[in-house]
PDB file of all heavy atoms in Angstrom:
ATOM      1  N   TRP V   6     118.384  99.431 127.416  1.00  0.00           N
ATOM      2  CA  TRP V   6     118.042 100.848 127.596  1.00  0.00           C
ATOM      3  C   TRP V   6     117.055 100.929 128.754  1.00  0.00           C
ATOM      4  O   TRP V   6     115.993 100.296 128.743  1.00  0.00           O
ATOM      5  CB  TRP V   6     117.418 101.426 126.321  1.00  0.00           C
ATOM      6  CG  TRP V   6     118.442 101.791 125.281  1.00  0.00           C
ATOM      7  CD1 TRP V   6     118.939 103.029 125.015  1.00  0.00           C
ATOM      8  CD2 TRP V   6     119.097 100.903 124.365  1.00  0.00           C
ATOM      9  NE1 TRP V   6     119.866 102.965 124.002  1.00  0.00           N
ATOM     10  CE2 TRP V   6     119.990 101.670 123.581  1.00  0.00           C
ATOM     11  CE3 TRP V   6     119.033  99.515 124.134  1.00  0.00           C
ATOM     12  CZ2 TRP V   6     120.790 101.117 122.589  1.00  0.00           C
ATOM     13  CZ3 TRP V   6     119.837  98.972 123.135  1.00  0.00           C
ATOM     14  CH2 TRP V   6     120.705  99.764 122.388  1.00  0.00           C
ATOM     15  N   MET V  14     104.318  99.936 119.368  1.00  0.00           N
ATOM     16  CA  MET V  14     103.515  99.867 118.142  1.00  0.00           C
ATOM     17  C   MET V  14     102.940  98.471 117.891  1.00  0.00           C
ATOM     18  O   MET V  14     102.520  98.163 116.783  1.00  0.00           O
ATOM     19  CB  MET V  14     104.298 100.372 116.918  1.00  0.00           C
ATOM     20  CG  MET V  14     104.760 101.806 117.036  1.00  0.00           C
ATOM     21  SD  MET V  14     103.496 102.969 117.646  1.00  0.00           S
ATOM     22  CE  MET V  14     102.353 103.000 116.271  1.00  0.00           C
ATOM     23  N   GLY V  22     100.855 100.914 121.624  1.00  0.00           N
ATOM     24  CA  GLY V  22     101.515  99.823 122.345  1.00  0.00           C
ATOM     25  C   GLY V  22     102.397 100.375 123.445  1.00  0.00           C
ATOM     26  O   GLY V  22     103.463  99.831 123.736  1.00  0.00           O
ATOM     27  N   ASP V  33     122.721  89.995 120.018  1.00  0.00           N
ATOM     28  CA  ASP V  33     123.001  89.488 118.658  1.00  0.00           C
ATOM     29  C   ASP V  33     122.132  90.181 117.605  1.00  0.00           C
ATOM     30  O   ASP V  33     121.602  89.528 116.701  1.00  0.00           O
ATOM     31  CB  ASP V  33     122.783  87.970 118.605  1.00  0.00           C
ATOM     32  CG  ASP V  33     123.734  87.228 119.531  1.00  0.00           C
ATOM     33  OD1 ASP V  33     124.836  87.741 119.781  1.00  0.00           O
ATOM     34  OD2 ASP V  33     123.343  86.140 120.019  1.00  0.00           O
ATOM     35  N   ARG V 122     121.500 111.930 100.184  1.00  0.00           N
ATOM     36  CA  ARG V 122     120.081 112.141 100.532  1.00  0.00           C
ATOM     37  C   ARG V 122     119.704 111.375 101.791  1.00  0.00           C
ATOM     38  O   ARG V 122     118.953 111.857 102.642  1.00  0.00           O
ATOM     39  CB  ARG V 122     119.174 111.648  99.388  1.00  0.00           C
ATOM     40  CG  ARG V 122     119.260 112.481  98.162  1.00  0.00           C
ATOM     41  CD  ARG V 122     118.396 111.939  97.013  1.00  0.00           C
ATOM     42  NE  ARG V 122     118.820 112.635  95.807  1.00  0.00           N
ATOM     43  CZ  ARG V 122     119.257 112.047  94.695  1.00  0.00           C
ATOM     44  NH1 ARG V 122     119.234 110.738  94.565  1.00  0.00           N
ATOM     45  NH2 ARG V 122     119.674 112.786  93.688  1.00  0.00           N
ATOM     46  N   ALA V 153     123.204 100.316  92.707  1.00  0.00           N
ATOM     47  CA  ALA V 153     123.525 101.494  93.527  1.00  0.00           C
ATOM     48  C   ALA V 153     122.690 101.466  94.811  1.00  0.00           C
ATOM     49  O   ALA V 153     123.196 101.737  95.910  1.00  0.00           O
ATOM     50  CB  ALA V 153     123.265 102.775  92.737  1.00  0.00           C
ATOM     51  N   MET V 192     114.244  92.856  80.689  1.00  0.00           N
ATOM     52  CA  MET V 192     114.617  93.657  81.854  1.00  0.00           C
ATOM     53  C   MET V 192     114.367  92.920  83.171  1.00  0.00           C
ATOM     54  O   MET V 192     115.212  92.898  84.065  1.00  0.00           O
ATOM     55  CB  MET V 192     113.864  94.993  81.846  1.00  0.00           C
ATOM     56  CG  MET V 192     114.340  95.914  80.729  1.00  0.00           C
ATOM     57  SD  MET V 192     113.223  97.302  80.414  1.00  0.00           S
ATOM     58  CE  MET V 192     113.612  98.349  81.754  1.00  0.00           C
ATOM     59  N   ALA V 226     106.268  84.553  87.992  1.00  0.00           N
ATOM     60  CA  ALA V 226     107.044  83.440  87.440  1.00  0.00           C
ATOM     61  C   ALA V 226     108.475  83.448  87.968  1.00  0.00           C
ATOM     62  O   ALA V 226     109.095  82.405  88.117  1.00  0.00           O
ATOM     63  CB  ALA V 226     107.036  83.510  85.914  1.00  0.00           C
ATOM     64  N   HIS V 310     109.720 109.763  98.179  1.00  0.00           N
ATOM     65  CA  HIS V 310     110.729 110.733  97.752  1.00  0.00           C
ATOM     66  C   HIS V 310     111.105 110.497  96.282  1.00  0.00           C
ATOM     67  O   HIS V 310     111.523 109.403  95.912  1.00  0.00           O
ATOM     68  CB  HIS V 310     111.991 110.661  98.612  1.00  0.00           C
ATOM     69  CG  HIS V 310     113.059 111.581  98.100  1.00  0.00           C
ATOM     70  ND1 HIS V 310     113.089 112.912  98.413  1.00  0.00           N
ATOM     71  CD2 HIS V 310     114.073 111.380  97.228  1.00  0.00           C
ATOM     72  CE1 HIS V 310     114.097 113.489  97.779  1.00  0.00           C
ATOM     73  NE2 HIS V 310     114.704 112.577  97.054  1.00  0.00           N
ATOM     74  N   PHE V 331      95.453 114.222 105.274  1.00  0.00           N
ATOM     75  CA  PHE V 331      94.593 113.043 105.102  1.00  0.00           C
ATOM     76  C   PHE V 331      93.757 112.737 106.348  1.00  0.00           C
ATOM     77  O   PHE V 331      92.961 111.822 106.335  1.00  0.00           O
ATOM     78  CB  PHE V 331      95.436 111.804 104.746  1.00  0.00           C
ATOM     79  CG  PHE V 331      96.101 111.846 103.394  1.00  0.00           C
ATOM     80  CD1 PHE V 331      97.061 110.894 103.055  1.00  0.00           C
ATOM     81  CD2 PHE V 331      95.772 112.806 102.441  1.00  0.00           C
ATOM     82  CE1 PHE V 331      97.671 110.893 101.804  1.00  0.00           C
ATOM     83  CE2 PHE V 331      96.395 112.821 101.193  1.00  0.00           C
ATOM     84  CZ  PHE V 331      97.351 111.864 100.881  1.00  0.00           C
ATOM     85  N   GLU V 360     109.321  94.083 119.676  1.00  0.00           N
ATOM     86  CA  GLU V 360     108.927  92.794 120.242  1.00  0.00           C
ATOM     87  C   GLU V 360     110.148  91.890 120.283  1.00  0.00           C
ATOM     88  O   GLU V 360     110.970  91.921 119.360  1.00  0.00           O
ATOM     89  CB  GLU V 360     107.866  92.112 119.365  1.00  0.00           C
ATOM     90  CG  GLU V 360     106.513  92.783 119.407  1.00  0.00           C
ATOM     91  CD  GLU V 360     105.511  92.083 118.487  1.00  0.00           C
ATOM     92  OE1 GLU V 360     104.967  91.036 118.905  1.00  0.00           O
ATOM     93  OE2 GLU V 360     105.277  92.565 117.376  1.00  0.00           O
TER      94      GLU V 360
END
Side-chain angles (χ1 to χ4, degrees):
W6 280 260
M14 300 314 291
D33 298 332
R122 291 177 194 123
M192 290 165 77
H310 175 83
F331 293 169
E360 289 178 80

